[in-house]
Amino acid sequence: SFRKAWKIHKFFLPILHSRDSCKPPDSKLNLACMWWKALIGNDKSSPAFDNGLAYDMLPRGFRRVIKLRRFFPRLHHALVEMRTVYLDNAIQDTIFRLRISTNSSAS
């Protein structure tokens, strides 16, 4: 069940970051979100594939846990995936519009 997976993940987060000198303060979801982002970012079939960028931000000694992706229920990281794709597209669209605006005013 999703509730059980959430509790297990929440239990292991402090352990996964026990030797992480760059560990951000946990505001209930930021560490979990970082792991979910690494799950989708390391999945070549995901529209939010980031070529391992989020994976590289995880604690070095424990990041191999991501290879066990099949044990993570899809719900949690699917929500992060949808939001990531939405935000990436919105940012790219804004940059594109700014470039057009800048180019048209320079002419």
Side-chain angles (χ1 to χ4, degrees):
S1 86
F2 293 112
R3 185 173 290 175
K4 185 176 181 180
W6 174 253
K7 285 182 180 181
I8 291 169
H9 192 223
K10 190 174 182 178
F11 172 81
F12 279 106
L13 276 176
I15 296 166
L16 293 170
H17 288 273
S18 61
R19 293 188 230 150
D20 184 3
S21 62
C22 299
K23 176 177 76 172
D26 191 10
S27 66
K28 294 188 180 181
L29 286 179
N30 64 350
L31 288 179
C33 189
M34 187 168 72
W35 283 87
W36 297 329
K37 179 74 173 95
L39 282 166
I40 61 168
N42 211 35
D43 179 359
K44 291 180 182 176
S45 67
S46 170
F49 176 67
D50 65 11
N51 213 15
L53 177 66
Y55 176 84
D56 289 342
M57 295 171 69
L58 297 176
R60 189 169 289 191
F62 293 107
R63 62 176 70 146
R64 289 187 199 104
V65 169
I66 295 301
K67 308 274 188 217
L68 304 172
R69 182 175 33 249
R70 68 180 179 270
F71 295 111
F72 289 85
R74 178 104 176 103
L75 175 67
H76 299 303
H77 57 283
L79 294 173
V80 172
E81 180 179 54
M82 289 186 309
R83 291 175 181 160
T84 298
V85 170
Y86 171 79
L87 290 171
D88 286 350
N89 289 337
I91 290 168
Q92 288 175 359
D93 185 49
T94 300
I95 291 169
F96 178 75
R97 281 190 266 134
L98 285 171
R99 283 184 181 155
I100 289 175
S101 171
T102 303
N103 288 341
S104 64
S105 64
S107 303

